[in-house]
Amino acid sequence: MKKLLVSLLASSVMLVACGQKTQTEAEEQEKQEQVADAQQTGEVANKSANDQSSQENKDKEKSVEDVTPSPSEEPGDESETVNELEQWLPKTPNVERIYTGEGSEFAEFTTYPQFIHEDTVQIKHQNPGITTYSIYEYREDSIVEIFAHHGSLMRDDFANTAQTSDTEGEEIVLKTPIEVGTQWEDREGQTVEITATDLELAAPNGTVPGIEVTTTTIDQDGHEGKIHRYYGKDIGLVKEVTELSSDAEMTVTSTLTEYKPDTVEKIPFTLYALDYETLDQAIEIETELELKTNDPIRLALTDKLKEELDSEVTNLLPNDATINFMYLDDNNVGHVDFSEELATNMQAGASGESEILQRIVDTIANLYHAEAVNLSLDGGAYDKGGHVHIDKDQLLYPTHGPMAQ
């Protein structure tokens, strides 16, 4: 029973936070797609990477919240059907939602909207047992989960990497018309139906109009259960009640208790730095990245690797160096591509350069929980440093931290 409950809770990742399309984001998507195509072949053109870096730096300076128009300001290019769906699953960037749970240790969870593109959003859903990253697509008559990945704390924009989904098929989350009796089937072939449209729901900021969507489940022993999901207007998921019918009835409830706008996602990680004088002693520094919706993790990590933390620790990146792209592939290998300044502007001898690169590998591997790291320079081999040569597709392995061999 507990296994079934965990499976149901893990599969019911909710779409609860997204953002409206802006011209800036549309341009960013185009650039990201160019780089994503190159990532899959391991070749990144300098111009494409530099253009993406320039655009993302502009986006970092001007947050999604600042550039996202309100519904009244948005041009009339969306159908009434899509708007009807969005009022129940609104697109709001930089909002953390916190749900408390009853009946199971996995019933409590948090969500955060990581990336917003023209018709898709990526949501992180984290409970005590698992972290899931889902991509939802807004269509004319439905909102559909098209991708899901279960992993550690990370920030890849999965719409623009070579990562494949952990699940097969699509999952309809909500479908029009929004009226009692509208039905569809989920990924498992179970019946989902809109069962109420005239509710008043208690939300953190007051009572809001709501609807109920009910999934009828059948377990392996043939017992029928119900999952009731309640969506509040302009809020999103407000409550989820799972009723499992078996020899002993069981009810699990997740309730939205905190709605936190203007919030950043915090990603803790360990920075593996070097002793400033000897360049041969690894120093572990616990820190975190703070990212808003659509902030690329590579820019934040670049800043962290350039920091001069104190007089005893050296920074790992020269000031002019940048990360062109970074992602985790299906083989649990982290790929990171730097600009040539990492090699040409590094002030270290042969042993010092080797140690600095190894600390970068340690940091990336443990950030991703990756088995190995493929480190490249402008899409090619690391061959401009003078002391160290790394082939284009060579794998490097961490020597410090939990992922060390």
Side-chain angles (χ1 to χ4, degrees):
M1 179 60 67
K2 184 174 182 180
K3 182 178 180 181
L4 172 62
L5 176 59
V6 173
S7 176
L8 287 171
L9 290 172
S11 65
S12 61
V13 179
M14 295 301 127
L15 174 60
V16 291
C18 321
Q20 300 288 348
K21 175 185 176 183
T22 66
Q23 183 64 34
T24 299
E25 293 169 353
E27 294 171 354
E28 176 193 4
Q29 182 186 17
E30 181 181 355
K31 299 302 182 183
Q32 289 176 332
E33 289 173 346
Q34 294 172 3
V35 175
D37 291 339
Q39 288 174 359
Q40 296 185 33
T41 62
E43 298 177 354
V44 178
N46 289 335
K47 183 177 185 302
S48 178
N50 291 336
D51 287 350
Q52 185 202 30
S53 177
S54 176
Q55 182 62 51
E56 288 177 342
N57 275 295
K58 292 177 182 177
D59 292 343
K60 188 176 182 183
E61 295 172 358
K62 189 173 186 181
S63 70
V64 174
E65 182 180 30
D66 293 334
V67 302
T68 302
S70 66
S72 61
E73 297 170 333
E74 186 72 15
D77 58 355
E78 295 186 9
S79 69
E80 293 182 2
T81 301
V82 173
N83 288 331
E84 181 182 15
L85 291 170
E86 290 181 4
Q87 68 179 330
W88 303 113
L89 296 171
K91 296 180 177 179
T92 312
N94 308 321
V95 172
E96 181 183 32
R97 291 168 169 83
I98 299 176
Y99 297 80
T100 56
E102 296 180 5
S104 170
E105 61 183 307
F106 303 105
E108 64 178 65
F109 61 89
T110 63
T111 66
Y112 193 85
Q114 293 185 319
F115 293 98
I116 300 170
H117 297 304
E118 180 178 0
D119 297 314
T120 64
V121 297
Q122 178 174 309
I123 303 294
K124 181 184 80 171
H125 177 286
Q126 183 177 10
N127 69 27
I130 192 170
T131 302
T132 301
Y133 303 86
S134 296
I135 296 177
Y136 298 88
E137 183 174 71
Y138 279 67
R139 299 177 180 174
E140 184 176 352
D141 63 347
S142 59
I143 299 175
V144 182
E145 182 191 61
I146 60 173
F147 173 94
H149 175 72
H150 311 298
S152 57
L153 294 177
M154 56 196 302
R155 182 71 176 219
D156 279 3
D157 184 355
F158 291 109
N160 291 312
T161 73
Q163 183 77 247
T164 57
S165 179
D166 292 342
T167 57
E168 294 183 3
E170 300 179 341
E171 181 90 274
I172 297 175
V173 178
L174 191 60
K175 186 178 177 65
T176 59
I178 304 299
E179 60 185 38
V180 174
T182 297
Q183 288 188 2
W184 62 91
E185 288 188 352
D186 66 9
R187 186 182 286 116
E188 305 299 326
Q190 300 174 134
T191 299
V192 187
E193 181 179 2
I194 297 177
T195 46
T197 58
D198 58 353
L199 303 177
E200 292 292 325
L201 303 176
N205 297 327
T207 302
V208 296
I211 62 174
E212 178 188 53
V213 178
T214 302
T215 302
T216 301
T217 64
I218 305 293
D219 67 19
Q220 59 186 4
D221 297 321
H223 298 126
E224 182 178 289
K226 301 284 186 181
I227 302 176
H228 306 276
R229 297 187 177 104
Y230 300 91
Y231 298 95
K233 186 174 182 180
D234 299 326
I235 294 292
L237 181 70
V238 171
K239 192 172 186 178
E240 178 176 301
V241 180
T242 302
E243 300 171 345
L244 298 180
S245 298
S246 58
D247 295 336
E249 292 190 359
M250 184 176 184
T251 300
V252 177
T253 303
S254 302
T255 305
L256 178 65
T257 53
E258 293 186 60
Y259 180 93
K260 303 170 66 176
D262 303 322
T263 302
V264 297
E265 178 188 0
K266 296 182 179 181
I267 300 179
F269 76 105
T270 302
L271 175 64
Y272 292 86
L274 273 175
D275 177 85
Y276 182 78
E277 293 184 356
T278 63
L279 293 182
D280 63 1
Q281 181 179 349
I283 299 176
E284 297 184 5
I285 299 174
E286 298 301 324
T287 183
E288 64 182 10
L289 302 172
E290 295 187 354
L291 301 166
K292 288 187 174 183
T293 299
N294 275 20
D295 281 350
I297 190 172
R298 68 181 185 84
L299 297 183
L301 183 60
T302 295
D303 292 341
K304 284 291 184 181
L305 295 178
K306 290 180 180 180
E307 283 185 5
E308 295 183 5
L309 300 173
D310 57 48
S311 59
E312 297 181 356
V313 179
T314 184
N315 54 310
L316 297 180
L317 285 190
N319 286 333
D320 294 335
T322 59
I323 299 177
N324 295 325
F325 66 78
M326 186 174 71
Y327 68 98
L328 184 72
D329 69 16
D330 286 338
N331 297 317
N332 204 31
V333 173
H335 296 259
V336 57
D337 184 78
F338 290 91
S339 65
E340 66 176 19
E341 286 80 11
L342 170 63
T344 59
N345 292 358
M346 185 181 296
Q347 302 297 316
S351 61
E353 183 174 2
S354 178
E355 287 292 332
I356 288 174
L357 294 176
Q358 185 60 58
R359 296 296 83 74
I360 292 175
V361 168
D362 291 340
T363 299
I364 300 296
N366 286 283
L367 173 65
Y368 275 125
H369 289 192
E371 296 178 4
V373 173
N374 173 222
L375 189 152
S376 57
L377 212 62
D378 285 331
Y382 184 97
D383 56 4
K384 295 180 174 63
H387 302 295
V388 177
H389 178 90
I390 302 173
D391 291 336
K392 176 182 175 182
D393 298 319
Q394 182 177 342
L395 296 184
L396 307 174
Y397 296 89
T399 57
H400 291 80
M403 301 308 298
Q405 299 293 314

